[in-house]
Amino acid sequence: TWVGLAGTMTTLSALAQGLTCYDPAAIHLSRVPVDQLVAVCERLIGMTRAERAALGPMHEGRVDVIGGGAIVVQELAREL
């Protein structure tokens, strides 16, 4: 079990849940299976900036950095 916080993890949770907008109540204490987490990371890594910006739960300040965060999470998932 991992405990994640802050922008990358909360955004990944929102995307894994298929949220159309950022919903803190749905994200808080959410659980995301590792295979689903890795799938969301892979999807984000393969997207263009415009595709990431169009995602409902994506905060505009996170669009340029979520790919790097997704790589870190993906690699941690593979290692652990």
Side-chain angles (χ1 to χ4, degrees), residues 2 7-9 11-13 15 34 36-47 52 55 58 62-78:
W2 296 3
T8 294
M9 293 305 288
T11 302
L12 293 175
S13 174
L15 294 170
V34 71
Q36 192 175 1
L37 183 65
V38 170
V40 170
C41 289
E42 288 174 356
R43 192 173 120 225
L44 281 170
I45 292 164
M47 288 181 167
R52 292 189 310 270
L55 296 170
M58 183 69 63
R62 185 145 304 281
V63 173
D64 290 326
V65 298
I66 193 70
I71 290 170
V72 170
V73 170
Q74 183 182 46
E75 290 305 312
L76 283 171
R78 287 184 177 154

Side-chain angles (χ1 to χ4, degrees), residues 19-51:
L19 300 181
T20 58
C21 64
Y22 191 89
D23 180 355
I27 295 165
H28 185 66
L29 298 177
S30 62
R31 292 174 178 252
V32 180
V34 71
D35 59 331
Q36 192 175 1
L37 183 65
V38 170
V40 170
C41 289
E42 288 174 356
R43 192 173 120 225
L44 281 170
I45 292 164
M47 288 181 167
T48 65
R49 184 188 193 289
E51 289 169 333

